Amino acid sequence: MTQAVAPSQALRINPVALRQKLTQQLDRHRNGDPYPVMVLRAEPAWPYDTTLPLPDGRTARVVPCVSPLAVWEHLAVEHDDEVLVLLTDVPESTLGAGVRSRVFRQQVIAVEPWDLVVDAFGARVPDSALERESWAGEALLDAMPPGGWPRLSTRVLTRDVALRHLAAVRLGLDRRGENPDDLDVAALLRWSGEPGAVEAFGLLRPAEQDGLRRWLIEQFGRPARALFALVAAGHGADAMPLGLVCDAVWTTDSVEAVRVRGRIEQYFGHLDDDATVRAFAAATVQVVTGMLSAREAEVHREGHAVLHRAEDLLVQFGAVGSAGHSRILRTGFARRLDEVAAALLAGLADPTDPALATVVESLTGHLLAESEDSRIRRIRMAQRLVRWLGAETTPPASVADGVQRQIAEWGWVDLALRHVWAGDDVNTGLQRAFREIYERAQQRRRDLDASFADRLAAWAMAGPGSDAGLLTIENLLPTVMEPLIRTRRPVLLVVLDGMSADVAVELADQLAEQWIEYDPLAGAGEARRRGVVAALPTLTAVSRTSLFAGALRSGNQDHEKRMFDQGRWGPQARIFHKGPARGGAGEVLSEELRTAMADPGQLVAVVVNTVDESLAYGREGNEAGWQLDGLGFLRSLLDLASYAGRAVVLTSDHGHVLERGGEYVKAADAASSRHRTGPEPAGPGEVELTGPRVVSDGNRVVALWDPLRRYRPSKAGYHGGASLAEVSVPLLAYLLPNATDVPAGWMPVQGQRPGWWYEDVPPPVVDAGATPVKPAPPKSRRKAPVPSGDALFDVPEQSAPAVGAPGGSRDLVTALLATELFEAQHGLTPRKVDRKKIEAALRALVDAKGTLPAAVLAQRAGELPARAGGFVITLQRIFNVDNYPVLSSIDDSRTVRLDIPLLRTQFGLPGDGS
């Protein structure tokens, strides 16, 4: 009996590889039948479309044949106008001469993997290292993408190039828009977390699995070794969550952590290598951190899904207690939140306790802090209020004093109070701390409002003669705008109705990204952000009308337009309220407004009602504060002003107070939520305002100074009263950074933040003769981090060292300018800068403790603000010897920092370097 010949192992082939093989054979042998029968030695399985289009326009019909009889049957079938391709693993000797005589080239065509693979890459030969990977040829053929392998410019296909492309396909990098060059540890770890990815890897031929695993470990070391240990143990899909758990457990030596390590090691199977686990954990933390900060929403969600699963594994392994110090797990973040909550309350009891700064810094160092930016912002606001409560403050000595301090300090308190009021949604400790801090700070603010109300009553009764040194709403246009109008300076006046000092703080911070803030009334004095006193009562109908009329008046939009257009502010002055300013479909701003803005001889005033309207209707969302994009069409309007080269003056007509669980007070004579007009004398929380500054019948009203009281049903906020927030109107003036024609008397504004806003800035000096409300704060015990983002001008408001005193600016700068190194560096600069300018710049920086806005530095040195950038570069060439950063630009080159200790070292100057 004849023994049957067992078919040998044949190659599996896919449509891409088959098309390549057919095209190769038909191109090489063109003299035969254009539609031949071709027999290919391959696995007789074809789970694809039986019709295969060829590059030259012909089609092939693919038929698997598992036996000689199946081959004979298809040879007998007509196949006009198509190439018939028979796939079989039957040995050629078994088919016999009869079959061979009727097929293409009279032979069974062998499919050689390396021949096809090398040809697909556009090379000629594989290198010896690749050929030794015997499994790789078939794998590369099987994995060939629909467009084929990329064509190379070299004749030799190397092992690393081929296997990198193979791994990229098997790991599905193209699904994430990546290519083989992007294959790294991060790509490998992210692959493990994709649904079904590890399972699909397990379906590859064992030889290919083993070969790819070896090559990936060779390329990426310990993290890949740990990953494939998990894959082999059936836990590959949990690789990234487990890596985060390992990061927590392997970075502490507690008894619990040591026990947990044993459980986790079993999860890895046979892996018993601490160094490998640590490397794997570190790589995972880095990858997940990148996912959490990614802009793509899908990647961001994947990162949070990894965190959620990691928390489940913590519970599974009993490792929750070992993860409190984790720099990425939610358990570690929650532990730090608890510590911050306790430190906030402790800070209220003992302002000298440095623990608060330490734990807040620890919290912000957690890798989840960036994705929890709203919560971090509220914590920082609470921390600032704790410092303010521990600082010394005094009641306002006058209306002018109160308004200016509202703009310079207490508006920042109001901003912090907004954020702290918003609270925390989960952590009960933070909720309690926020509530306690809010109540204490709010009470102090009420005390200040009560004191201010007494000053306001006396000032209102005294009349216009008491306005010395005080800018009032009706004098704003004559004082600030008329000088610009006389010089025909193109200017935009924006009235952000209802903007209070705290809104101005946030708005100014955002505008600093494009504009430079100026004090339009500085003259030869100190530049600062100014405050304006609203008309009384602090209503839009009174205060905004008085603003546009240039005199105390009451009216509406029609009155404002008529008074503004009467010619006093120039023959072409135009005012745009909400309706006329807004464009139609597809337009942000109306054509009429755009035309007016393009005319340099026209004074343009625009009213933006977003803040005022929000007081009546509220706003969606829980986040406190205002962003530029949330203020109607203001961003578009300012962009238009920048294109037109206009100066911008941004102000308001009055401020506002917010509804924070206030008390409803019945008043039959209430004329607004915050003032009444009847004859009844002032009661608790009220102040009687009489005199020529009160625009009301009989020049008298009774107004609420207490922000927690109202006369009418609850709304989101109110105005019309006598609190600091309602009476104080911020004044912001701006020019573009490249402005060369700075108006006379305009000076760049220095840093606006109050002393307690950051730890490195001591509290402002208070009048020694005044009665303090709270004890003085302690001195800072730690060097604070570099400020970033809260304001453009980071100038510490602190006393400079005495000129001539040891370490003072005169001693240091004089010694510096006398050094031979300075002379040499100054002589090498291509643009010679006057030594007096250099001296003035250095003294300004030393007096400001090393940090100044670039525009302010240029102004102090006698340079135009438009030349600030070039001036700073020249200074850097002089002082940054051997490229050491003695003088550096920070905050997107808006701020200049002088490293004074490094300056002493580089130029060999005396001093302790501190």
Side-chain angles (χ1 to χ4, degrees):
M1 183 175 180
T2 305
Q3 187 175 4
V5 178
S8 60
Q9 185 73 24
L11 182 72
R12 182 192 306 167
I13 195 167
N14 64 21
V16 178
L18 180 59
R19 183 184 294 110
Q20 181 183 338
K21 184 66 177 179
L22 296 179
T23 302
Q24 183 188 79
Q25 289 294 311
L26 291 171
D27 284 348
R28 291 176 180 174
H29 307 281
R30 297 183 179 182
N31 298 328
D33 184 355
Y35 299 104
V37 178
M38 302 178 70
V39 180
L40 267 70
R41 177 167 174 74
E43 182 178 315
W46 189 253
Y48 312 105
D49 190 343
T50 57
T51 300
L52 184 68
L54 300 177
D56 61 3
R58 286 180 282 184
T59 59
R61 182 161 59 90
V62 184
V63 180
C65 299
V66 298
S67 66
L69 180 60
V71 174
W72 275 109
E73 287 177 351
H74 286 93
L75 285 175
V77 176
E78 293 292 331
H79 60 279
D80 294 340
D81 299 331
E82 65 179 3
V83 177
L84 179 61
V85 180
L86 306 180
L87 304 180
T88 185
D89 59 354
V90 177
E92 184 178 74
S93 59
T94 304
L95 292 177
V99 170
R100 294 198 301 272
S101 66
R102 301 179 60 178
V103 301
F104 182 74
R105 296 182 59 196
Q106 291 81 49
Q107 66 183 46
V108 176
I109 299 172
V111 179
E112 295 293 340
W114 287 126
D115 179 42
L116 286 179
V117 168
V118 170
D119 183 68
F121 276 102
R124 293 188 179 182
V125 294
D127 72 356
S128 57
L130 179 58
E131 284 188 305
R132 284 196 294 271
E133 302 286 355
S134 57
W135 58 273
E138 184 176 351
L140 284 162
L141 197 62
D142 185 47
M144 192 180 299
W149 293 117
R151 310 289 288 183
L152 305 178
S153 58
T154 59
R155 65 182 299 274
V156 178
L157 177 61
T158 64
R159 171 178 177 263
D160 284 347
V161 168
L163 297 190
R164 179 172 287 274
H165 281 82
L166 173 62
V169 170
R170 293 309 197 197
L171 301 182
L173 294 192
D174 58 325
R175 291 194 297 270
R176 298 198 298 269
E178 298 174 341
N179 58 56
D181 290 336
D182 297 318
L183 180 60
D184 55 14
V185 172
L188 192 59
L189 288 171
R190 288 195 58 194
W191 160 79
S192 71
E194 293 180 353
V198 173
E199 290 79 0
F201 184 81
L203 297 176
L204 299 176
R205 292 185 180 92
E208 182 178 355
Q209 287 185 52
D210 183 61
L212 274 179
R213 179 168 50 245
R214 282 188 289 103
W215 182 80
L216 288 167
I217 292 174
E218 174 189 313
Q219 294 294 310
F220 305 121
R222 286 170 170 163
R225 182 181 172 221
L227 170 63
F228 283 106
L230 288 171
V231 171
H235 302 301
D238 274 339
M240 283 196 292
L242 186 64
L244 301 185
V245 174
C246 291
D247 176 70
V249 174
W250 261 262
T251 52
T252 180
D253 292 322
S254 67
V255 175
E256 178 186 291
V258 172
R259 285 198 302 265
V260 171
R261 287 178 199 173
R263 302 184 195 116
I264 294 178
E265 285 169 352
Q266 295 177 13
Y267 219 62
F268 280 99
H270 297 294
L271 182 68
D272 186 16
D273 182 352
D274 274 2
T276 296
V277 174
R278 293 178 192 276
F280 168 66
T284 305
V285 170
Q286 185 175 0
V287 171
V288 178
T289 301
M291 295 170 70
L292 294 175
S293 60
R295 293 183 178 182
E296 300 86 352
E298 182 179 357
V299 177
H300 193 73
R301 286 195 299 270
E302 289 174 5
H304 281 281
V306 172
L307 290 179
H308 288 308
R309 177 57 180 157
E311 295 295 328
D312 292 340
L313 291 178
L314 282 178
V315 175
Q316 176 179 325
F317 289 118
V320 174
S322 301
H325 67 284
S326 170
R327 54 190 173 137
I328 191 169
L329 291 175
R330 296 191 185 281
T331 294
F333 190 75
R335 177 76 59 82
R336 298 183 196 200
L337 287 177
D338 292 339
E339 292 171 351
V340 166
L344 284 170
L345 291 173
L348 286 175
D350 180 11
T352 65
D353 188 352
L356 177 57
T358 301
V359 297
V360 171
E361 185 175 352
S362 173
L363 177 67
T364 56
H366 195 280
L367 295 177
L368 283 181
E370 184 177 351
S371 60
E372 297 274 4
D373 58 333
S374 294
R375 177 180 261 168
I376 298 296
R377 187 181 304 114
R378 293 171 190 174
I379 287 171
R380 286 225 180 264
M381 293 297 183
Q383 181 187 18
R384 288 160 178 158
L385 287 178
V386 168
R387 286 202 292 266
W388 179 66
L389 287 168
E392 192 173 2
T393 193
T394 57
S398 64
V399 170
D401 180 47
V403 169
Q404 194 54 49
R405 289 168 72 185
Q406 175 68 15
I407 299 300
E409 178 180 7
W410 297 332
W412 299 73
V413 175
D414 294 343
L415 172 61
L417 283 169
R418 284 186 185 230
H419 286 273
V420 172
W421 170 270
D424 194 83
D425 54 352
V426 175
N427 191 286
T428 56
L430 275 181
Q431 291 170 354
R432 179 188 168 205
F434 285 169
R435 183 166 54 251
E436 182 69 21
I437 292 168
Y438 181 87
E439 289 174 355
R440 292 199 193 184
Q442 176 65 16
Q443 183 56 54
R444 178 188 265 199
R445 282 291 287 111
R446 291 174 72 190
D447 293 342
L448 294 171
D449 281 326
S451 298
F452 176 74
D454 293 337
R455 307 292 185 270
L456 185 65
W459 176 77
M461 186 177 297
S466 62
D467 293 346
L470 185 60
L471 185 61
T472 57
I473 198 72
E474 72 274 14
N475 290 327
L476 193 153
L477 292 184
T479 304
V480 176
M481 305 301 291
E482 270 193 331
L484 300 174
I485 295 167
R486 287 197 298 268
T487 61
R488 297 187 60 79
R489 171 80 194 206
V491 61
L492 168 67
L493 171 64
V494 180
V495 179
L496 187 53
D497 197 327
M499 176 179 67
S500 50
D502 57 319
V503 178
V505 166
E506 290 189 302
L507 181 57
D509 183 38
Q510 296 165 70
L511 293 181
E513 297 176 2
Q514 183 178 356
W515 300 81
I516 293 181
E517 184 179 357
Y518 282 79
D519 178 357
L521 302 176
E526 181 184 358
R528 54 189 170 88
R529 188 176 297 162
R530 302 278 168 167
V532 184
V533 183
L536 303 175
T538 53
L539 300 173
T540 298
V542 174
S543 209
R544 200 172 77 191
T545 303
S546 299
L547 167 65
F548 287 120
L552 290 172
R553 296 286 187 273
S554 179
N556 53 31
Q557 289 188 13
D558 292 336
H559 293 102
E560 293 169 8
K561 183 175 177 59
R562 186 165 59 251
M563 293 172 183
F564 191 77
D565 294 348
Q566 65 187 359
R568 179 178 179 183
W569 315 120
Q572 295 179 301
R574 294 290 308 278
I575 182 174
F576 292 84
H577 291 87
K578 179 180 179 180
R582 200 68 174 85
E587 299 176 328
V588 177
L589 304 173
S590 69
E591 182 178 356
E592 187 179 9
L593 174 55
R594 296 198 306 270
T595 301
M597 290 284 286
D599 183 354
Q602 206 167 42
L603 169 62
V604 179
V606 180
V607 177
V608 181
N609 297 94
T610 308
V611 175
D612 196 45
E613 290 175 351
S614 75
L615 302 180
Y617 306 111
R619 291 187 296 152
E620 294 295 326
N622 295 324
E623 190 52 46
W626 287 93
Q627 298 299 309
L628 185 56
D629 288 332
L631 289 167
F633 51 80
L634 181 57
R635 182 184 287 277
S636 298
L637 182 62
L638 293 174
D639 287 343
L640 189 59
S642 70
Y643 301 150
R646 287 179 175 263
V648 174
V649 175
L650 197 152
T651 189
S652 182
D653 49 356
H654 56 75
H656 65 269
V657 294
L658 295 172
E659 170 58 39
R660 292 291 183 253
E663 175 187 359
Y664 170 62
V665 180
K666 292 183 179 180
D669 56 344
S672 75
S673 295
R674 296 278 294 164
H675 87 284
R676 58 184 179 85
T677 57
E680 294 295 325
E686 296 177 328
V687 62
E688 182 176 341
L689 302 175
T690 62
R693 293 208 53 82
V694 182
V695 184
S696 180
D697 291 342
N699 298 114
R700 176 189 178 276
V701 297
V702 174
L704 286 166
W705 60 258
D706 188 343
L708 298 183
R709 296 191 174 199
R710 54 184 165 78
Y711 294 131
R712 288 184 174 175
S714 176
K715 293 183 178 181
Y718 320 97
H719 55 90
S723 70
L724 279 159
E726 293 164 287
V727 174
S728 304
V729 174
L731 174 63
L732 308 174
Y734 290 98
L735 295 175
L736 289 170
N738 60 354
T740 57
D741 51 344
V742 178
W746 283 42
M747 299 286 283
V749 174
Q750 298 188 22
Q752 294 299 298
R753 293 171 300 183
W756 44 267
W757 196 255
Y758 278 112
E759 272 197 301
D760 59 337
V761 184
V765 178
V766 291
D767 182 2
T771 303
V773 177
K774 287 287 182 180
K779 294 182 179 180
S780 175
R781 295 188 178 180
R782 54 184 293 274
K783 188 174 181 180
V786 176
S788 58
D790 281 276
L792 167 61
F793 298 142
D794 296 332
V795 184
E797 296 181 4
Q798 53 192 14
S799 301
V803 175
S809 65
R810 187 160 305 281
D811 275 358
L812 176 62
V813 175
T814 301
L816 171 65
L817 298 179
T819 62
E820 292 183 4
L821 180 57
F822 170 77
E823 292 289 351
Q825 290 291 107
H826 185 237
L828 292 173
T829 55
R831 176 195 168 208
K832 294 297 185 294
V833 179
D834 191 310
R835 287 173 60 99
K836 292 183 178 179
K837 290 185 176 181
I838 297 175
E839 180 177 358
L842 282 174
R843 295 201 190 287
L845 282 166
V846 172
D847 289 346
K849 299 303 183 188
T851 306
L852 271 180
V856 175
L857 180 66
Q859 177 265 324
R860 294 283 185 85
E863 285 279 6
L864 290 174
R867 298 178 182 171
F871 180 62
V872 172
I873 290 173
T874 301
L875 293 179
Q876 288 177 316
R877 287 173 176 167
I878 295 173
F879 296 113
N880 291 358
V881 182
D882 295 332
N883 291 323
Y884 281 93
V886 172
L887 195 73
S888 56
S889 294
I890 60 174
D891 197 19
D892 292 330
S893 298
R894 298 196 299 265
T895 305
V896 180
R897 169 169 293 131
L898 175 67
D899 188 329
I900 297 176
L902 186 55
L903 176 74
R904 293 181 184 275
T905 301
Q906 287 295 87
F907 286 83
L909 302 174
D912 59 5
S914 60

